[in-house]
């Protein structure tokens, strides 16, 4: 056969095949070619909701590319801080990784397996005690926002009683001499009102060795802890955004002294002024911290005070929402 005609025939066949594929995809949706899922589809931040014995609890995952081909990341569970992932295994849309236990009971690694499905991920988690849970996740919102004006300040604590607050569990909080007090470890306290962007002023006092925190939108904890002034700054010490952002210095005054935080949160950007010193300046909070109420980062949330880590007192809690 003439070589010229052979090439023309092959060209026509390929064109016909491509045309038929397009025709089938247009007219028969089930015939559409499934798009291959790649590692690029997993890279990013994910807000995760886990089914833990019938209860929805929040988690968070970030996957990044290290070098040419290795996937690494961070994972935040129901409790604890953001934990580094040395390697995320990925193959044909499915992924897995393991991390050592932190505050959990049990000694075996926590194992997470999942699959990318469009703009969502889903999978299972096997805890350090061998319990298996299912979970699903969606892409975390960027939360890029600006504030041009502020509303009037709101006193969230009235100095008289717990009006405007509710305890998660058996309540140990009381008001004595104008001070909101948790005399021992117990329930956490959550404001009835919810907020998006705001400026928050809190004045607090802790005992030696005690620990608490203020959760912004109920998801991002600003740590309150009896940290030595000469300690190396860390995200899990005084004024850090727990597990993510360390302060540039430990500006704590010490136990049994009244201290203050002035916190500005706009989108994901946070500024923390501790006792008059700016220790975190307009830094991005990547995701929820351990102990968050939920992982719905795009929604407004309450102010939430940790009361399960020791005695803590507050004498002023004032919030100024964005207009």
């Amino acid at each position: 056969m003439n070589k010229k005609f052979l090439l023309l025939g092959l060209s026509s066949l390929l064109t016909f095949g491509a045309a038929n594929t397009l025709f089938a995809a247009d007219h028969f949706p089930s015939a559409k070619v499934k798009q291959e899922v790649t590692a690029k589809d997993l890279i990013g931040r994910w807000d995760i909701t886990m089914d833990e014995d019938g209860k929805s609890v929040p988690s968070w995952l970030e996957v990044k590319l290290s070098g040419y081909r290795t996937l690494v990341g961070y994972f935040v569970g129901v409790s604890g801080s953001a934990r580094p992932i040395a390697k995320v295994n990925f193959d044909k849309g499915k992924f897995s990784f393991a991390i050592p236990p932190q505050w959990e009971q049990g000694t075996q690694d926590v194992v997470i397996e999942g699959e990318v499905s469009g703009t969502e991920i889903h999978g299972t988690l096997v805890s350090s005690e061998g319990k298996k849970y299912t979970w699903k996740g969606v892409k975390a919102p960027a939360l890029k926002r600006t504030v041009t004006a502020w509303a009037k300040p709101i006193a969230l604590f009235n100095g008289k009683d717990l009006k405007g607050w509710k305890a998660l569990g058996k309540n140990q909080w009381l008001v004595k001499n104008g001070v909101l007090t948790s005399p021992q470890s117990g329930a956490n306290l959550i404001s009835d009102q919810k907020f998006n962007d705001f400026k928050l002023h809190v004045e607090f006092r802790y005992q030696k060795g005690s620990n608490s925190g203020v959760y912004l939108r109920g998801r991002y904890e600003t740590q309150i802890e009896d940290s030595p002034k000469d300690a190396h700054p860390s995200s899990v010490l005084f004024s850090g955004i727990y597990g993510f952002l360390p302060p540039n210095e430990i500006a704590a005054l010490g136990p049994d002294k009244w201290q203050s935080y002035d916190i500005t949160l706009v989108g994901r950007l946070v500024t923390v002024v501790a006792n008059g010193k700016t220790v975190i300046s307009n830094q991005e909070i990547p995701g929820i911290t351990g102990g968050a109420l939920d992982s719905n980062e795009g929604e407004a949330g309450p102010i939430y005070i940790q009361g399960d880590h020791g005695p803590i007192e507050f004498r002023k809690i004032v919030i100024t929402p964005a207009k």
Side-chain angles (χ1 to χ4, degrees):
M1 183 183 288
N2 186 292
K3 186 175 181 181
K4 180 179 179 181
F5 284 105
L6 176 61
L7 291 174
L8 285 171
L10 288 172
S11 176
S12 298
L13 182 62
L14 290 172
T15 303
F16 176 78
N20 274 310
T21 300
L22 289 172
F23 176 84
D26 288 339
H27 292 79
F28 304 99
S30 61
K32 287 185 177 180
V33 178
K34 185 177 180 181
Q35 188 174 359
E36 182 182 1
V37 177
T38 68
K40 185 178 179 181
D41 297 303
L42 179 60
I43 292 172
R45 295 168 177 169
W46 300 88
D47 286 337
I48 291 173
T49 301
M50 194 168 302
D51 185 346
E52 193 175 84
D53 300 325
K55 179 183 178 182
S56 294
V57 295
S59 294
W60 176 87
L61 171 67
E62 181 176 26
V63 177
K64 300 189 257 188
L65 180 65
S66 176
Y68 291 115
R69 64 186 68 86
T70 303
L71 296 178
V72 298
Y74 279 91
F75 180 78
V76 175
V78 178
S79 62
S81 60
R83 308 178 212 187
I85 306 168
K87 184 179 181 181
V88 178
N89 304 302
F90 184 90
D91 183 40
K92 298 178 181 177
K94 296 184 178 181
F95 63 94
S96 64
F97 58 90
I99 51 176
Q102 192 179 60
W103 301 106
E104 301 91 349
Q105 300 296 318
T107 57
Q108 67 186 44
D109 283 354
V110 178
V111 178
I112 292 91
E113 295 182 340
E115 183 175 0
V116 181
S117 179
T119 58
E120 299 182 352
I121 57 176
H122 60 89
T124 60
L125 177 147
V126 178
S127 73
S128 60
E129 297 176 287
K131 296 180 180 179
K132 190 173 185 178
Y133 307 105
T134 60
W135 57 264
K136 59 183 178 180
V138 297
K139 280 283 190 180
L143 300 182
K144 292 183 178 179
R145 299 196 288 252
T146 57
V147 174
T148 57
W150 300 95
K152 293 182 179 180
I154 301 168
L156 291 181
F157 170 51
N158 62 17
K160 300 175 183 179
D161 52 37
L162 294 176
K163 184 178 180 180
W165 297 84
K166 61 183 177 184
L168 284 183
K170 185 178 179 181
N171 179 48
Q172 82 285 355
W173 293 86
L174 53 90
V175 178
K176 186 177 180 180
N177 298 325
V179 176
L180 177 62
T181 302
S182 176
Q184 70 273 333
S185 296
N188 298 322
L189 203 60
I190 299 173
S191 69
D192 291 338
Q193 294 187 65
K194 295 183 178 181
F195 307 93
N196 278 308
D197 301 329
F198 54 80
K199 295 188 290 186
L200 178 68
H201 175 80
V202 294
E203 296 180 12
F204 55 89
R205 181 169 61 184
Y206 53 78
Q207 297 179 14
K208 184 175 178 59
S210 196
N211 181 310
S212 180
V214 177
Y215 281 75
L216 315 175
R217 298 192 200 116
R219 301 180 190 108
Y220 316 116
E221 182 189 7
T222 308
Q223 175 78 315
I224 294 175
E225 196 217 36
D226 183 18
S227 303
K229 286 182 66 68
D230 59 354
H232 184 76
S234 166
S235 64
V236 300
L237 297 182
F238 185 88
S239 70
I241 302 299
Y242 194 81
F244 283 124
L245 304 178
N248 58 29
E249 67 173 290
I250 303 296
L253 302 179
D256 303 317
K257 295 182 179 180
W258 284 108
Q259 307 187 56
S260 68
Y261 285 161
D262 287 282
I263 304 166
T264 302
L265 180 65
V266 176
R268 291 187 180 278
L269 299 181
V270 66
T271 294
V272 179
V273 178
N275 296 318
K277 295 183 178 180
T278 301
V279 294
I280 296 176
S281 179
N282 210 37
Q283 296 296 299
E284 183 192 42
I285 305 176
I288 66 169
T289 58
L293 296 177
D294 59 49
S295 58
N296 305 325
E297 292 192 89
E299 299 179 4
I303 300 303
Y304 143 33
I305 300 172
Q306 193 175 61
D308 59 359
H309 279 47
I312 186 70
E313 297 174 302
F314 291 85
R315 68 180 180 187
K316 188 175 286 189
I317 306 173
V318 177
I319 194 165
T320 305
K323 281 189 174 179

